[in-house]
Amino acid sequence: MSVTSVAEQWVEQAAGLTRPSRIVWSDGSKAEYESLIESMLKDGTLLPLNPRTYPNCYLHRSHPQDVARTEQLTFICTRERDDAGPNNNWMSPEDAKEHAGGYLRGAMRDRTMWVVPYLMGPAGSSMNRVGIMVTDSPYVVASMHIMTRVGPVALQHMRSDDDFVAGLHSLADLSPERRLILHFPEEKLIWSVGSGYGGNALLGKKCHALRIGSWQARQEGWLAEHMLIIGVEDPEGEVTYLAAAMPSASGKTNLSMAISQLPGWRVWTLGDDIAWMHVDALGQLRAINPERGFFGVAPQTSERTNPNAMAMVRSNTIFTNVALTPSKEPWWEGMTPEPPAGLVDWQGRPWTPGGAPAAHANSRFTVLAQQCPSIAPNWEDPEGVPISGIVFGSRRTRTVPLVSEGFDWTHGVFLGASMTTETTAAITGQVGVVRCDSMAMLPFCGYNMADYFTHWLDTGPRLARPPRIFRVNWFRRDAEGRFLWPGYGENVRVLRWMVERIRGQTGADETPIGYVPSAGALELDGLDMPAERLRETLRVDRDEWRESLDETDRFFAPFGPRLPGQITASLADTRRRFV
Ligand code: SAT
Ligand code: MN
């Protein structure tokens, strides 16, 4: 299928509002990418990095007040307020358009409007979806080239004239006072104005694949989730596929590329951020990664924490808001034990040690998935991969043990729904505040989360063998503030336990919050992990949990009677088990 009249009309409408001087349809070609880069080098939007050590890599510095997602400026604009739910900011579609229309009117004057048709998901997959976004940011167009499949391939996958999510993006004047990220799920429409930052501006990612995607997924009976996808290969070569939800900047990219510290075991990367999962004709849950690249957090990425990522960003990568060394190489906190001399910080100012971080805490790399050394050979399989386990992970200094397993699907859904986490620099606002982040979807669920929980509960009975559901926390600390578990490549020990649980090969002890590994079930060979510390890592403390369940209760309260009875019952059962 080629450009349809519906698509053309939509582009005309967007141009009528924003008044660009020129309209260019993006073809997704290498030549187009190169000319975008060239023009951005010319006008200073990009700086070249060392062509010898970082070939074809560039640095982008964003507006200092435009460095993270802005949840308070993100809205779901449904006709009925209750359809957005207490988990979302809501505005009526009329108010939203009037408001943002004011910022967008004439916003592209003297600028080129790019029309970017993009495909989310592998070509030829029945699970893929098309979007058409317009934008006045060449940085966004180049990033979309990396993160999605741009050009005719997208148009060819439209199943009807209006089978696309429309996205209107403009930098406008980049002012936080005139910034809005608006979603109209009933119209398959996104408006984003005033930000050039990833999650606000690369509309295929959070806006389409998660917020509009989750809305469509509920209507059509599938799941759009904030999850990585990995294959865990055992020493016999058998691969078990897992999907894992974790909040932004909480280790999804690292886990998806983990290098196993266990001989014979290996992790294959299929995705690091989003999973679209369907129930197939045999009742098997299957996942595709709708994205084509990684938009990963740079700080703390190193040869120790994620060697695969370090290798993959050595070429063809756009860095955003990292620091720069005198030899024009990127640098960020945690990359090397000591910062190199003569750094320039993420805002282009000479940097002196001891002050603010040289790289922004939410600085990023954007790179094609195929550059990852651990990318799975089947990562673009149109059929997706069969998911045997689902993991809900979060960042908790206390309370939550290293790993536990839900009693069954319903209890697993409760574990996801009641997940609490500490906030990170991926969102504008305070870092380290404990909040509920159900399934790591609190910022991304495009509808009332009570209905989302119901949708998850309803999916279980449709599955011939529902995946086991696990809860993990790599971030628990001891009384001195030290991490109890070494994390990173050692996390494969936990993945191995999951695989063995899925196969019914290993033991577990029952606790009020689920099963935890019984003594000896976690492979700890080669790890300095005294029994006392392991106990602390897996401990389920009654008082801490009571406090946490109160927090969950407060989070659930505003959902009122729309909250499914099974969730309320699971909470009550958990409380009872702690008595
Ligand atoms: O900024 S993004 O939303 O794209 C990444 C994230 O916060 O998960
Ligand atoms: Mn994310």
Side-chain angles (χ1 to χ4, degrees), residues 254-575:
N254 289 339
L255 181 63
S256 73
M257 297 171 195
I259 291 187
S260 169
Q261 298 302 312
L262 278 182
W265 291 76
R266 145 163 221 177
V267 174
W268 291 100
T269 312
L270 290 103
D272 83 329
D273 197 40
I274 300 175
W276 281 357
M277 301 193 285
H278 287 63
V279 182
D280 75 9
L282 299 173
Q284 171 66 53
L285 193 63
R286 305 193 76 88
I288 60 163
N289 172 8
E291 302 191 278
R292 184 176 178 236
F294 303 123
F295 180 64
V297 178
Q300 304 311 324
T301 306
S302 70
E303 289 300 338
R304 183 179 70 83
T305 62
N306 193 341
N308 279 323
M310 292 305 283
M312 110 188 145
V313 301
R314 285 309 285 252
S315 62
N316 312 314
T317 301
I318 299 178
F319 295 92
T320 301
N321 296 335
V322 298
L324 194 60
T325 72
S327 50
K328 299 280 182 281
E329 294 181 342
W331 190 85
W332 48 79
E333 275 63 25
M335 183 203 260
T336 52
E338 292 301 324
L343 279 176
V344 170
D345 77 4
W346 64 278
Q347 297 186 69
R349 304 169 305 196
W351 183 75
T352 37
H360 188 273
N362 192 37
S363 55
R364 300 271 174 162
F365 52 77
T366 312
V367 61
L368 284 172
Q370 67 192 40
Q371 293 209 171
C372 179
S374 57
I375 195 78
N378 57 341
W379 82 280
E380 289 185 288
D381 187 334
E383 304 293 322
V385 293
I387 297 296
S388 308
I390 288 175
V391 182
F392 294 118
S394 77
R395 191 183 272 278
R396 285 301 310 271
T397 303
R398 301 162 11 138
T399 316
V400 181
L402 175 66
V403 61
S404 60
E405 180 191 335
F407 297 123
D408 54 26
W409 179 265
T410 302
H411 181 244
V413 172
F414 168 72
L415 291 183
S418 59
M419 189 159 84
T420 48
T421 197
E422 289 154 27
T423 52
T424 69
I427 47 171
T428 303
Q430 222 184 327
V431 168
V433 180
V434 176
R435 70 172 188 184
C436 252
D437 188 353
S438 309
M439 281 88 169
M441 279 289 276
L442 181 67
F444 308 119
C445 183
Y447 62 101
N448 191 316
M449 264 195 149
D451 301 346
Y452 171 75
F453 301 149
T454 304
H455 180 46
W456 261 87
L457 291 166
D458 289 348
T459 302
R462 294 170 54 212
L463 297 166
R465 258 185 91 214
R468 299 283 183 104
I469 299 182
F470 302 92
R471 174 81 170 88
V472 302
N473 174 28
W474 318 134
F475 301 92
R476 197 174 196 176
R477 298 186 194 228
D478 64 14
E480 276 74 52
R482 288 176 307 227
F483 287 111
L484 284 160
W485 178 254
Y488 304 111
E490 305 293 2
N491 290 338
V492 178
R493 298 174 189 273
V494 178
L495 300 179
R496 171 177 169 170
W497 181 75
M498 292 176 187
V499 169
E500 290 173 347
R501 286 296 295 166
I502 289 164
R503 296 183 183 158
Q505 290 170 343
T506 191
D509 295 337
E510 192 173 329
T511 79
I513 58 157
Y515 301 112
V516 299
S518 46
L522 265 188
E523 175 58 72
L524 297 175
D525 200 35
L527 200 62
D528 175 28
M529 177 58 75
E532 180 50 33
R533 187 143 115 239
L534 180 66
R535 247 194 317 276
E536 189 57 23
T537 311
L538 293 170
R539 189 170 59 91
V540 176
D541 181 278
R542 190 174 71 164
D543 292 340
E544 285 180 352
W545 271 98
R546 280 186 172 162
E547 201 180 300
S548 199
L549 293 169
D550 288 348
E551 174 83 35
T552 304
D553 215 6
R554 280 193 292 277
F555 173 72
F556 284 160
F559 292 96
R562 222 157 150 151
L563 196 70
Q566 285 155 291
I567 294 290
T568 332
S570 286
L571 180 62
D573 288 346
T574 311
R575 277 231 171 85

Side-chain angles (χ1 to χ4, degrees), residues 69 197-199 205-206 226 248 273 295 364 426 444:
R69 274 184 294 109
Y197 169 75
K205 198 174 183 52
K206 306 294 163 133
H226 191 208
S248 303
D273 197 40
F295 180 64
R364 300 271 174 162
F444 308 119

